[in-house]
Amino acid sequence: MGKARQSCQFRNFISLILRISARQRKRTAKICILVSSHSTMHCYRIIFCCLICFLAQSAYSQDKQAVDSLQQLLRQATTDTTRARLLSELSASLARTGDHAAAVNAANASLRIFEKNRNIPGMALAFSARGYVEMRNNLPDSAIRYFTKARDLLKDDTTITSRRIRARATGNLSVVLGRKGLADQELQLLTELIPDLEALNDQNSLSTALHNLSSKLMNIGRFQRAYPYLQKSIQMASGQQNTEKLATAYINMARLQYGMDSLEAMKRYLDLAANTLQQLPASPQWGLYYIYAGTYAGKCKQYGTAIELLDKAEQQVNKLADRQNWYNIYVAKLKIFSEQKKWNEALAAAFSMYKVASKENNAYFIISSLRDMAEIEKRTGNLLAATTHYNEYVLLRDSIEKEGTNARINELELQFNTAVKEKQILQLQQANDQQQLEIQHGRTKQLLLWGIVIICSLIILLGSLYFNNRKKILVQQEMLLRKDLEKTEQRQQLAAYTAMLEGQEQERLRLARDLHDGLGGSLTAIKISLENISQKQDQPLLQPPIRQLEDTLSELRRIARHLMPETLMRYGLEEALKDYCQLMATPGCKISFHGSGLEQIADQSVQLMIYRTIQELVSNAIKHASASAVLVQCTYEEALLLITVEDKGKGFLREEAERNKSSGLSNIRWRVQSLGGQLQIDSVPGKGTVVNIECNYAPEHSDIDSR
């Protein structure tokens, strides 16, 4: 079991080593120490250390290869523009390798070429490259100067290339300002940068900017303002399927929820972060996760769990030499130990933070740790040590405040000198204005006279414009009145035609009943009498008249059905249309019908109008188009009535049909207008015709309105 466990640990450790990226080369010394402390892997110590050292140099090798490739491309460059752009890229690669002097020379050479050619975007690119070199060399003031020059050159340039260069310079400038502690300026730049990156669709830079902005806002306690930016960062990371960024965003959201005192939401985001990080066992974000998981446990009074998680975070952070998170760990431990009143452990945490902050000259954490040590010593009764720490705290705080005061005094002196100069300039301007006033005094009378003339001219012009405009308004009103009259006339014609259609339908109903009940009944009685005589007296000569009577009755029923479909009255619109299509189908003409939702139309007058419209269209397709196939569709859904009749017939030219004033087409158009719908006819000679009718119908109101 022991050997198997050693083998498993060995495989896991090898997997961890293979995940080391180029950015982790600074962690190699601590990982080597970790390897040498593992007794279960003692026999592989030398091999592991050599392998880690090799991987630690891989990033440097990659940057060196990039430098060599760019230098080779420079030798092959044929134009000044290409050479200058390559020099800008080369300066950044040289800066990453640590060759500051060569990086500066490359950036300056790029700038000289762009200045020679008067290439403004290129000059901005060169300034941005020089700023990046200064930023890598930890020269913030110089970096700010060059990034600002790059931004100023492109402030009025709206081309895509220039906007990308300016956005990159703005992002780097915000980083430098943050390092100098100028949080307000950094926040302002990041806020301005995000819309530009969205417009440029630069997803990677936008994701980084959102992360930086939300982090800065949380650092100064503006959690509500940071929330939408962090939400957007999570959405982008999910869409890009970037597991590392998504885990970081979840952890930051947990931190935000902690700041807003929402522990339930904090726990939810911590769980999301842990599930995401399971896919990245070697991710550096584990340290950050352990910090806030420990903070959450401490907030829930689970002090033992909190300390265990913070110890794990410390192990992870020590591997990465991540000092900022190291401070966060000891601040969290200090708070937990203080809540438990474990003053010795709290004092040890504060002293550890003081030592590291003093080594790195981090004034904020030096002051914070001195204040905490003084408070802890006071609580433990060690007043001498408490007084010593407090005096050191006050001395350092006053020194920093004095520096800030001197800086403010210098700024006020500069403002005062500027105000004095502005006052002198203002006095000179006032004297000059007095002279100008005297010169202009003589011209005042002339200007007054000309002003009167101009005012009179304007009055005449405005009066003319008013009367012309009034005339146009009257003309427009007259045109609107004519249109209203035309619409009224159309409505009257439509009402008259609708009344005519209703009269026709009533007359058809009367004729259908007379034919069916009167003449149909008489012919049926004659047929029955003849059949009885033929059967009793065995007279074959009566068979032909009987068959003629049967044909006559069938024709009579067909005519009566056309005049007033009995199926429509009994079974509704859909069954009536289906019955009509079956009736009109012949071996030479196949008619297909599809209906849906027609049972919702309860008004019989509307049903009859739809039936007559489809009857006219199918009849035209059979009689005039000699169609071989007809497709009828009638559907009603969500107050929308759709009718489509498509035939494979001869087709026609619509212009020709309009000239001939076909009564069938006119009847169809009037019926559609009475339904309040729209009619569309698409016909191609030799291919067929498609008729589409569309209208709105609300059964509860029993009316149809134009769509």
Side-chain angles (χ1 to χ4, degrees), residues 334-379:
L334 178 62
K335 184 175 181 180
I336 291 171
F337 287 137
S338 297
E339 288 181 359
Q340 293 179 280
K341 296 184 179 181
K342 294 183 177 181
W343 303 118
N344 291 333
E345 290 83 347
L347 183 63
F351 184 68
S352 297
M353 186 165 58
Y354 172 76
K355 287 195 301 183
V356 175
S358 299
K359 183 178 179 181
E360 296 182 351
N361 198 24
N362 190 321
Y364 174 82
F365 284 105
I366 292 174
I367 292 175
S368 177
S369 58
L370 284 171
R371 184 182 63 244
D372 292 334
M373 285 191 293
E375 182 65 25
I376 294 169
E377 294 286 10
K378 178 182 176 182
R379 289 180 178 273

Side-chain angles (χ1 to χ4, degrees), residues 251-270:
I251 295 171
N252 282 332
M253 183 59 84
R255 174 191 172 194
L256 183 143
Q257 298 298 337
Y258 175 75
M260 297 172 67
D261 203 22
S262 179
L263 294 182
E264 183 178 353
M266 181 184 184
K267 179 65 167 59
R268 184 169 66 255
Y269 282 107
L270 283 173

